[in-house]
Amino acid sequence: MQDNWPKAPRGRWLKCTYEKCGFEWLYFGGRNWAECPACHSTVKVAVAQRNYRAS
């Protein structure tokens, strides 16, 4: 494989941890915190990823 191939962003499925929301989305950011596109609450990426897998 070539070294100069463009790197594709790897998305992660997250689920909002806010109990009244529960929105699921594909997150492409590389940060530790993400903002829910539906309710705009801030969620920790690791917790939201675990929340998606648990449901």
Side-chain angles (χ1 to χ4, degrees), residues 15-43:
K15 184 174 181 181
C16 185
T17 54
Y18 184 56
E19 59 205 28
K20 293 180 182 175
C21 180
F23 184 73
E24 297 175 354
W25 75 99
L26 194 56
Y27 179 65
F28 288 102
R31 305 260 192 281
N32 291 331
W33 293 89
E35 183 183 352
C36 176
C39 68
H40 299 288
S41 64
T42 309
V43 294

